[in-house]
Amino acid sequence: MPLPTFDVPFVLGMMRLHEATDMHQANHLADWIEARLEQGLHWFDHADIYGDGAGETLFGQALRARPALAKRLKVVTKASIANDNPTPGSGKVKHYNASPAYLNRAIDDSLNRLSVERIDHFLIHRPDLLMDAEATGRALDDAINAGKIGAAGVSNHLPSQWRRLQSAMHHPLRANQIELSIAHSTPLFDGSFDDLCADGHAPMAWSPLAGGALMEGEVSHVLTRLASEHNSTPAAMALGWLRSLPNRPAPVVGSVKPDRIADMLEGPDTLPRETWYELLEAARGHCVA
């Protein structure tokens, strides 16, 4: 079976959606979603902790206002982070929970908030060190069999962690979201990127612009020069760097600004080999051995 891929220039990350007050009006957000679909961007990445569910809720309100959109897009959502950033003195402790009860509830809640019939990819957001792999694997298999999720996957897991889960499942894990960028290339050198590709996971790269760090220092100078040479933008070149990797990782882009999104589409799909290594060298401060 061929490795699954996300057939888009990048995935639209909804982490900051709830912070964009102009998106709180359902018809306005529906217009924004439709405009992205017209640009060929039909994958949207969510998580239950984004705005404590507010991101999914706003997205679902837009789909209820314009139901035809739901059939034209695909959604990823994630769960397992509990009590994210608790208020000091609240008595709550941030922790991870991949128990069947927690994930089953998270899937149902996300389906309701998003107003979709199925979550295309459901990912375990962070590895729960107390996870009962057999029980969690059965819960994910059951959710796929019930048609609630199209496929299960992981995020921020080590190969040993996702393989323990996979060994308890009938259905294959199909997606894997990791931090990956020119500035954070560790997965390319520690074997974890090779492992996820070998295990048939479609790779997704969060923080593909390293939280703005790529626009500073030597790598910024190189990106600016290369963007000029390719009639592109620095951000678009950085995303092309990721897509040049084997199995074409899908960058997860966090901006909801139309002009920013348009800028990131203004670039080559992939980069020439020497250009790719030039950017790696600029970020690491030395050439490959």
Side-chain angles (χ1 to χ4, degrees):
M1 181 179 294
L3 185 78
T5 59
F6 293 87
D7 54 338
V8 286
F10 48 84
V11 173
L12 291 157
M14 299 289 97
M15 184 171 67
R16 305 293 183 195
L17 177 62
H18 65 286
E19 298 174 0
T21 55
D22 58 331
M23 297 290 199
H24 291 192
Q25 206 282 328
N27 282 320
H28 180 78
L29 179 52
D31 288 340
W32 181 89
I33 293 171
E34 189 153 18
R36 306 291 77 77
L37 294 173
E38 293 300 320
Q39 290 176 307
L41 303 171
H42 56 267
W43 276 97
F44 297 82
D45 177 76
H46 294 268
D48 60 351
I49 63 166
Y50 294 166
D52 193 21
E56 291 183 335
T57 297
L58 290 168
F59 200 84
Q61 289 171 350
L63 295 187
R64 283 190 289 274
R66 204 167 304 170
L69 291 176
K71 298 185 183 302
R72 299 172 56 194
L73 56 79
K74 295 181 182 295
V75 295
V76 178
T77 198
K78 306 178 289 293
S80 77
I81 301 176
N83 295 340
D84 191 37
N85 299 320
T87 304
S90 67
K92 295 183 177 181
V93 175
K94 180 176 181 177
H95 61 282
Y96 303 142
N97 190 340
S99 68
Y102 188 93
L103 296 183
N104 285 333
R105 183 171 62 251
I107 290 169
D108 288 340
D109 288 347
S110 287
L111 285 168
N112 289 330
R113 286 192 294 260
L114 288 165
S115 192
V116 294
E117 295 181 357
R118 184 185 74 167
I119 296 163
D120 295 283
H121 281 300
F122 177 78
L123 312 184
I124 298 180
H125 205 162
R126 292 278 179 176
D128 175 11
L129 303 180
L130 301 179
M131 179 184 70
D132 178 335
E134 286 70 26
T136 297
R138 284 195 302 272
L140 293 174
D141 279 336
D142 289 346
I144 294 170
N145 292 338
K148 292 183 177 183
I149 64 176
V154 295
S155 177
N156 306 299
H157 282 56
L158 296 172
S160 58
Q161 293 169 327
W162 79 61
R163 285 171 176 161
R164 183 164 65 92
L165 175 62
Q166 181 65 87
S167 69
M169 294 181 63
H170 295 296
H171 292 285
L173 296 169
R174 300 298 280 168
N176 196 321
Q177 191 170 133
I178 60 172
E179 182 181 4
L180 183 62
S181 68
I182 300 170
H184 184 79
S185 59
T186 302
L188 306 181
F189 294 92
D190 67 9
S192 57
F193 181 77
D194 293 324
D195 284 336
L196 74 86
C197 291
D199 286 2
H201 300 178
M204 306 173 70
W206 64 265
S207 197
L209 303 179
L214 291 183
M215 303 305 133
E216 302 171 357
E218 179 59 25
V219 70
S220 173
H221 299 317
V222 177
L223 279 169
T224 300
R225 174 175 55 78
L226 292 172
S228 178
E229 294 173 1
H230 289 80
N231 193 28
S232 179
T233 67
M237 294 298 294
L239 300 186
W241 186 91
L242 283 166
R243 291 191 299 266
S244 300
L245 286 163
N247 300 313
R248 189 180 170 86
V252 181
V253 170
S255 179
V256 298
K257 297 178 180 179
D259 55 346
R260 181 72 170 146
I261 291 169
D263 281 347
M264 287 185 276
L265 289 169
E266 292 296 323
D269 190 52
T270 59
L271 304 184
R273 186 178 297 268
E274 193 165 345
T275 299
W276 191 92
Y277 275 100
E278 183 179 4
L279 284 165
L280 179 67
E281 179 178 311
R284 298 175 78 205
H286 58 83
C287 66
V288 291

